[in-house]
Amino acid sequence: MRNSKINTRRLFVLFLFLGICLGQPAHPPNAPAQQDKPYVLLISLDGFRYDYAERDHATNLLALGHGGVTAKALIPSFPTTTFPNHYTIVTGLYPAHHGIVDNSFWDPARQAEFKISNSAATTDGSWWGGTPLWVLAEQQGMRAASFFWPGSDADIQHTRPTYFYKYDAKIPNERRVAQVIEWLKLPKPERPHFITLYFSDVDHEGHTFGPDSPQTRDAVRAVDAVLGKLFGEVRALGVPLDIFVVSDHGMAAVTGDVDISKLADLNGVETTPNSTDFKFYSSDPKRIDRLYAELHGRDPRIEVYRRSQIPERLHYSDNQRIGDLVALATEPVVLHLASRPGQTQPKGMHGYDVARMPEMRGIFFAAGPDLKAGLTVEEFQNIHIYPLIAHILGLTVPSGIDGQFSVLAPILR
Ligand code: AMP
Ligand code: ZN
Ligand code: ZN
């Protein structure tokens, strides 16, 4: 008797210890009320431009759209980079409102830098605002899973998906797909209702060789083949699954570069150099005035704005992390600081204002039991996906999001 009590306690302590090691509390099974809800798989093909599927005959992707819904394009939010847009798609918030305002930025209040190559920052939930779909699901008694998505390995509101992996670009796509299939085979109490899946290949080749290169075309076809296998296996399971395939942004062919350090004196100003927008931070308004005067009208390939004067269409003002001053590329050029020894210039880039560069637009294909079949819709903003998926899963949406359910309601069956 005494022994078994000790064993139970030991087991409990071990369980707690494991939970703490994994950085999160144990997840209960799906609540009974959630077990008959639909399943949603949200797939991102990083950097997959709106015109690639037709251009390169991505037959599996096109077929998914024919059997479901195809949008002419998906309009990314500004800046058209990976972290801000992935997180907009899963929060329904513009980057200024969810706080991941770029792949790299400075936070003047925290006096700290966020950048995607620093996993200590990317996995720290306190950087991430809003309530991503996996947190929304977990909070409402529904299990979620992620084989990658920016933010999914962070403890946002002290919650991670029940099943997730720390980001590792080297994990082969086939393994990611096999794991998703395994999740969908779990018994109902354990089976995740919301799953994300991410592939970076098309973005990678687009940067290295350019959007119009044979390498990018091959990456499009390779990813499409992986999707074909996934769609076939999913169908065989007979799970009521709605599949969404989206991208975060497109890709433009690079025409040149601008060395910002040659245009102005940057001493004494905090700077975060993203390739398409530079952010400058200083608590001294006079210092910002001087920098503005130096940069304004200096080179036709950049435009410089004080944060409060950034064009309204970009929804890019309401956050200190954006900087006190920003320099934005107006053409597909790469911005940088001083000489870049050993660095080769990318042939493709994104991050630009979609109003200036339609090549920044991405994709939206979706099919499943809750969606109409054979429907093509006009392009729409990526903020609207969140309320649609929350509706399908029967989850209550937090107030104050930027996306509107009414925009995509017509694609529901
Ligand atoms: P970008 O610089 O905007 O083209 O970002 C694309 C890069 O982001 C890819 O090369 C990915 O390896 C990286 N990436 C994508 N998802 C994550 C993630 N969850 N954590 C860290 N890095 C990521
Ligand atoms: Zn991306
Ligand atoms: Zn990229």
Side-chain angles (χ1 to χ4, degrees):
M1 186 66 200
R2 209 169 152 223
N3 242 344
S4 91
K5 215 178 207 169
I6 289 171
N7 283 343
T8 317
R9 193 178 296 157
R10 271 199 190 141
L11 265 177
F12 178 74
V13 169
L14 181 72
F15 192 56
L16 204 70
F17 175 74
L18 279 174
I20 290 164
C21 288
L22 294 169
Q24 60 179 351
H27 293 259
N30 287 306
Q34 303 294 21
Q35 292 189 18
D36 291 319
K37 296 265 186 80
Y39 296 85
V40 169
L41 172 57
L42 175 62
I43 305 171
S44 163
L45 311 180
D46 200 314
F48 199 112
R49 204 166 72 182
Y50 72 101
D51 59 340
Y52 283 175
E54 290 257 3
R55 186 191 75 178
D56 299 335
H57 310 291
T59 50
N60 295 305
L61 205 43
L62 294 172
L64 185 81
H66 286 144
V69 183
T70 306
K72 289 183 180 164
L74 181 61
I75 305 171
S77 301
F78 187 83
T80 54
T81 47
T82 298
F83 267 47
N85 275 285
H86 276 93
Y87 202 54
T88 285
I89 290 168
V90 296
T91 58
L93 294 167
Y94 286 116
H97 297 155
H98 62 55
I100 305 299
V101 300
D102 216 320
N103 284 347
S104 309
F105 56 87
W106 175 253
D107 185 320
R110 291 171 78 130
Q111 288 286 301
E113 188 188 31
F114 178 96
K115 58 179 175 184
I116 67 173
S117 54
N118 175 9
S119 68
T122 60
T123 60
D124 174 352
S126 66
W127 285 97
W128 305 78
T131 306
L133 283 165
W134 57 82
V135 172
L136 196 68
E138 298 281 353
Q139 285 173 345
Q140 295 177 36
M142 179 185 269
R143 284 190 166 193
S146 173
F147 217 126
F148 304 153
W149 198 276
S152 63
D153 50 3
D155 59 336
I156 298 165
Q157 298 178 34
H158 309 291
T159 305
R160 289 187 172 98
T162 301
Y163 315 100
F164 76 99
Y165 291 89
K166 199 158 186 275
Y167 186 69
D168 176 2
K170 290 192 292 294
I171 296 185
N173 293 343
E174 289 71 17
R175 232 196 93 197
R176 306 179 194 191
V177 165
Q179 178 61 78
V180 167
I181 299 294
E182 288 311 309
W183 283 331
L184 289 169
K185 282 184 183 162
L186 286 171
K188 275 187 168 187
E190 288 153 46
R191 190 188 303 160
H193 283 260
F194 176 68
I195 304 175
T196 71
L197 177 60
Y198 169 83
F199 301 119
S200 63
D201 316 52
V202 173
D203 179 72
H204 186 268
E205 300 300 280
H207 281 300
T208 311
F209 302 102
D212 303 317
S213 63
Q215 290 88 344
T216 299
R217 181 200 58 208
D218 290 349
V220 166
R221 291 188 181 157
V223 163
D224 186 62
V226 171
L227 289 181
K229 192 161 174 287
L230 169 67
F231 297 160
E233 289 185 31
V234 158
R235 235 173 272 126
L237 294 176
V239 171
L241 178 72
D242 295 316
I243 301 177
F244 292 83
V245 184
V246 300
S247 63
D248 50 350
H249 51 73
M251 190 67 70
V254 168
T255 56
D257 68 292
V258 178
D259 180 350
I260 298 288
S261 67
K262 286 211 177 110
L263 305 182
D265 167 20
L266 302 177
N267 278 319
V269 182
E270 193 69 52
T271 309
T272 49
N274 288 288
S275 303
T276 54
D277 68 280
F278 266 49
K279 304 178 193 328
F280 305 104
Y281 310 77
S282 171
S283 51
D284 177 3
K286 287 208 183 78
R287 184 68 190 87
I288 292 298
D289 287 347
R290 188 148 61 83
L291 186 57
Y292 181 86
E294 281 179 278
L295 286 173
H296 185 67
R298 192 62 206 284
D299 187 311
R301 297 169 300 171
I302 63 161
E303 231 156 36
V304 59
Y305 296 103
R306 295 170 204 282
R307 177 155 51 87
S308 59
Q309 291 163 349
I310 295 173
E312 190 113 22
R313 68 168 186 280
L314 301 177
H315 302 275
Y316 204 55
S317 293
D318 310 342
N319 199 311
Q320 284 196 353
R321 294 173 175 180
I322 292 163
D324 301 295
L325 201 67
V326 293
L328 308 182
T330 58
E331 290 176 31
V333 291
V334 174
L335 311 182
H336 61 94
L337 282 177
S339 67
R340 299 171 292 171
Q343 270 198 42
T344 41
Q345 170 103 327
K347 291 211 166 66
M349 192 47 74
H350 53 86
Y352 312 100
D353 176 2
V354 67
R356 288 183 186 274
M357 272 171 252
E359 307 99 292
M360 293 302 104
R361 289 174 300 166
I363 53 165
F364 177 91
F365 297 92
D370 298 295
L371 300 162
K372 285 184 182 154
L375 182 68
T376 299
V377 297
E378 295 301 318
E379 58 184 28
F380 63 87
Q381 285 271 345
N382 62 358
I383 51 171
H384 301 302
I385 293 172
Y386 181 83
L388 179 85
I389 292 182
H391 177 90
I392 290 174
L393 294 173
L395 299 172
T396 309
V397 169
S399 59
I401 62 160
D402 294 312
Q404 287 170 336
F405 173 64
S406 58
V407 173
L408 288 177
I411 77 169
L412 288 172
R413 200 184 282 253

